[in-house]
Amino acid sequence: ESEEQLGGWSSLAYSRGGGDSMHPASLLFLNSCSMFFCSSSRQTYEIGQLTTSKLWRKPPSSTSTLHCRIQADDILRFGRVRYFAFGSNMNPGVMQGLRQVKPIKSCPGVVNQYKLAFNLVGTPAIEPSFASAEPSDKDDDELHGVLYTLTRSDWQKVARTEGVGFAYNLEEVVVHTYEGRKLQAVTLRTKPGLLRAPFGRDIPPSKGYLDLLIKGAEFYNLKEEYIDKLKSIQPNPAVFVNTKDMYDLLRINIGN
C-alpha cells in the first residue's frame, strides 16, 4: 500500500490494561506514578468511538491538509498509524528498548505553529514534568520530531504506556517531513485537568529527561538549530535523584 494509505486517521482503537505491561519503575520515571495506576485500569475505545470530537486540536486551515485522511475502517485493513514523537519517544532507547516498539518507518519532520511544552506534571524531585505538543499563535514556531509508522499493536503499547485518555489527549497534526512530504499524523497533548500545569506555565524537566530528547534528536538528525534550542533548556534544579543513572539501570541507552 502507498504511504498515503497508512492510517492518517487518528480514530484508532486502543486498550489499556492486559497485554504487555511495563516495569513499574519505568513508568515512574517516564510516565509518573499517576499514569502507572491509570494504565492498570481497563478502558477500551473502539473504532469510530474516538472521533474528532474527542480530540483536542485546532481545526485545519483548509481541506488540503486532510489529503491523507481516510475512513476509520481502513485502519482495520492496513493496521497502521502515523505517530509524531517529540519527547523521549524520539530516543530509540526509549521507543524500541523500553517500550519494545519496532517502527515500520521513521523519519524526521516538523509541525508548524506548534511548540514544545513541559506542562504534564510528573513526580516531584525525580521527573518533575513531561513533554507536550502545544498549538502556538506564532507563525514561526515549529515543533520538530520523529514521524513513526506503527502497527496497530505497537500503537496500542504507546497509547497505553503514555496514558492516552488520562494524561494525554490525541491531537491530529500535519507533519512536513524533512524529505518534503506532507502527512497527517496523531500526536500527544497534555489533557486539561490535575496533571496539566496551571496558568499555562511550563515546569522544567530533569536533566536526564532532557538528555533523552537531545540524544533522540541527534540520532534522527533533527535540524541543528532545534537541537541547540533543546540544549539551551535549563533543567529543573529541584531534582534530587540522578535520573540518568536510573535510565542506565533500566538499560535505556540514551546515546543509541
Side-chain angles (χ1 to χ4, degrees):
E1 64 268 21
S2 70
E3 184 71 13
E4 300 305 321
Q5 294 173 314
L6 297 183
W9 185 253
S10 62
S11 303
L12 177 65
Y14 67 88
S15 60
R16 293 203 300 273
D20 326 317
S21 20
M22 296 173 61
H23 192 283
S26 306
L27 293 176
L28 174 63
F29 304 143
L30 284 179
N31 300 96
S32 84
C33 292
S34 300
M35 293 183 210
F36 169 68
F37 289 119
C38 173
S39 68
S40 64
S41 64
R42 296 196 66 84
Q43 184 175 354
T44 302
Y45 292 99
E46 297 298 338
I47 291 289
Q49 288 182 340
L50 188 59
T51 62
T52 51
S53 63
K54 299 267 187 164
L55 298 170
W56 186 14
R57 65 182 179 90
K58 297 190 296 184
S61 57
S62 70
T63 55
S64 64
T65 63
L66 303 181
H67 69 285
C68 60
R69 174 176 285 180
I70 57 177
Q71 296 299 316
D73 288 346
D74 287 335
I75 281 290
L76 296 174
R77 182 161 76 245
F78 297 112
R80 302 181 189 181
V81 67
R82 295 193 198 94
Y83 161 57
F84 182 71
F86 50 82
S88 63
N89 282 342
M90 292 190 295
N91 192 307
V94 174
M95 194 65 164
Q96 300 177 38
L98 178 64
R99 301 194 195 280
Q100 294 295 297
V101 168
K102 295 178 173 58
I104 299 168
K105 296 180 182 178
S106 56
C107 65
V110 59
V111 178
N112 295 326
Q113 287 188 275
Y114 271 76
K115 63 182 179 180
L116 178 66
F118 296 96
N119 57 14
L120 177 59
V121 177
T123 306
I126 299 177
E127 282 296 7
S129 64
F130 301 95
S132 173
E134 296 292 328
S136 172
D137 295 330
K138 298 179 180 179
D139 292 338
D140 58 349
D141 268 345
E142 296 179 338
L143 178 60
H144 291 252
V146 182
L147 179 62
Y148 293 114
T149 300
L150 304 177
T151 64
R152 179 178 178 180
S153 59
D154 274 348
W155 166 245
Q156 288 173 342
K157 289 180 186 178
V158 173
R160 181 172 62 248
T161 57
E162 287 284 12
V164 173
F166 175 73
Y168 286 110
N169 279 339
L170 298 181
E171 183 101 342
E172 281 185 289
V173 292
V174 175
V175 181
H176 298 260
T177 72
Y178 284 13
E179 298 170 344
R181 306 193 70 185
K182 186 167 68 172
L183 299 170
Q184 192 172 1
V186 63
T187 194
L188 304 180
R189 183 181 182 188
T190 302
K191 186 175 182 176
L194 294 177
L195 292 181
R196 186 178 178 89
F199 310 117
R201 68 186 183 93
D202 276 7
I203 301 173
S206 72
K207 185 180 185 304
Y209 185 74
L210 281 173
D211 283 344
L212 293 177
L213 274 65
I214 293 167
K215 296 300 183 183
E218 291 175 338
F219 181 89
Y220 281 103
N221 295 314
L222 297 193
K223 289 189 175 179
E224 188 175 346
E225 312 90 85
Y226 190 76
I227 294 176
D228 289 342
K229 183 178 179 180
L230 292 177
K231 290 180 178 179
S232 71
I233 298 172
Q234 294 299 309
N236 199 313
V239 173
F240 306 117
V241 178
N242 188 330
T243 50
K244 184 179 182 303
D245 288 346
M246 293 182 183
Y247 295 132
D248 290 341
L249 182 65
L250 292 168
R251 298 181 181 178
I252 302 174
N253 188 341
I254 65 174
N256 292 322

